[in-house]
Amino acid sequence: MKVVNLKQAILQAWKERWSDYQWAINIKRNFPKGATWDYLNLAEALLEQAMIGPSPNPLILSYLKYAISSQMVSYSSVLTAISKFDDFSRELCVKSLLEIMDMFSHRLSCHGKAEECIGLCRALLGVAVWLLQGCAYYSERLREHGEVAGEASLRACVDRLEGLLLSTKNRALIHIARLEEHGEGVACVQPLFSFVLGCGLGGGYLFNQDHVLHNPLPSDSLLGQCGAGCDQSVRQPQQPGQSDAEE
């Protein structure tokens, strides 16, 4: 089934104000069972439609949350879709994406076919780098505009990154993804990770605003390199190194 038809079905549900349960029934009825929802990029299509405006569309987001809760979409497909959002200036959208991650980030596991497990490893690496890029973006805003602008979002990204990387299992999955990528991009992610560590990541330390204000930030070129080597698997932010830097 073409993605464009899937998007049309999502928009129809939104226009007719279907509940999440109605949406799930209708979309399952009208789309073939043969292909998986991940193959049809359901998570990406829902997020793309939900994040069109300056703030997220709550109804379409409810469809995605229902799809996650009912296991219509895999965690890896949702993480991959999240890592493709690159407009960190839309803080309400970023906040919603982080809340979606909170639904399942504490129970990631590899139980299935080898390609599904590798897909989860790559998706986890991609979203970890996405979080690092968010940290760098909001750190820059904090330095340029003072204490208020960007601080809450920076803290939120740091907290989620901490939650991911304090898990030995998650660090192992990220390491596997690094091996799959043949070590590309390790050098560019490690400085980013070191910077986030200085912000207070790990061990429950308080957010260190002085570190943000008085230490050099990663350059834009460095952030660009963070995605360049991993387009082949998840997307731009697929780069290595976060977890190992912490270890």
Side-chain angles (χ1 to χ4, degrees):
M1 183 63 64
K2 294 181 179 179
V3 175
V4 64
N5 293 337
L6 184 58
K7 291 179 180 179
Q8 289 172 354
I10 295 169
L11 289 175
Q12 179 186 355
W14 171 71
K15 289 177 181 178
E16 297 181 9
R17 294 298 187 268
W18 292 351
S19 68
D20 52 7
Y21 182 68
Q22 288 176 307
W23 167 80
I25 291 176
N26 281 283
I27 204 167
K28 288 178 181 178
R29 179 185 301 154
N30 296 319
F31 281 78
K33 183 67 176 177
T36 66
W37 293 111
D38 283 356
Y39 178 78
L40 295 172
N41 292 322
L42 177 60
E44 183 175 336
L46 285 167
L47 269 185
E48 185 176 308
Q49 295 302 313
M51 300 295 168
I52 288 178
S55 61
N57 184 307
L59 184 58
I60 298 181
L61 274 186
S62 74
Y63 299 159
L64 177 59
K65 292 176 181 178
Y66 187 91
I68 294 171
S69 300
S70 60
Q71 299 183 336
M72 288 176 64
V73 294
S74 67
Y75 297 155
S76 60
S77 70
V78 178
L79 291 176
T80 299
I82 288 174
S83 69
K84 292 183 178 181
F85 184 83
D86 57 5
D87 188 356
F88 290 102
S89 65
R90 290 191 280 163
E91 294 188 55
L92 291 176
C93 291
V94 173
K95 180 182 178 182
S96 293
L97 294 175
L98 296 176
E99 291 172 350
I100 289 172
M101 283 181 56
D102 291 342
M103 294 177 63
F104 58 85
S105 59
H106 59 287
R107 56 174 182 263
L108 297 173
S109 61
C110 283
H111 299 292
K113 299 178 181 178
E115 58 269 23
E116 294 173 349
C117 294
I118 291 297
L120 178 59
C121 294
R122 289 173 171 168
L124 189 57
L125 175 59
V127 84
V129 175
W130 178 77
L131 288 169
L132 282 169
Q133 291 173 325
C135 290
Y137 175 85
Y138 295 121
S139 297
E140 183 65 38
R141 284 189 56 187
L142 186 59
R143 288 189 62 168
E144 289 181 353
H145 304 294
E147 299 182 3
V148 179
E151 180 179 350
S153 295
L154 174 58
R155 187 190 301 270
C157 289
V158 168
D159 287 346
R160 269 50 173 221
L161 190 58
E162 177 182 19
L164 284 179
L165 298 183
L166 286 182
S167 164
T168 303
K169 176 182 63 181
N170 289 343
R171 293 200 302 272
L173 295 178
I174 290 175
H175 182 67
I176 292 171
R178 286 190 54 219
L179 296 178
E180 283 292 308
E181 295 304 320
H182 307 295
E184 290 189 16
V186 178
C188 76
V189 174
Q190 285 178 339
L192 293 177
F193 190 82
S194 298
F195 179 79
V196 175
L197 281 175
C199 294
L201 178 62
Y205 297 124
L206 295 175
F207 180 79
N208 189 344
Q209 182 174 299
D210 287 341
H211 179 88
V212 177
L213 295 175
H214 300 107
N215 282 272
L217 291 166
S219 65
D220 290 339
S221 61
L222 184 63
L223 287 172
Q225 294 169 30
C226 268
C230 289
D231 274 330
Q232 57 246 48
S233 55
V234 186
R235 95 151 213 159
Q236 163 190 4
Q238 248 111 295
Q239 255 50 343
Q242 295 98 282
S243 61
D244 296 311
E246 185 198 38
E247 293 172 356

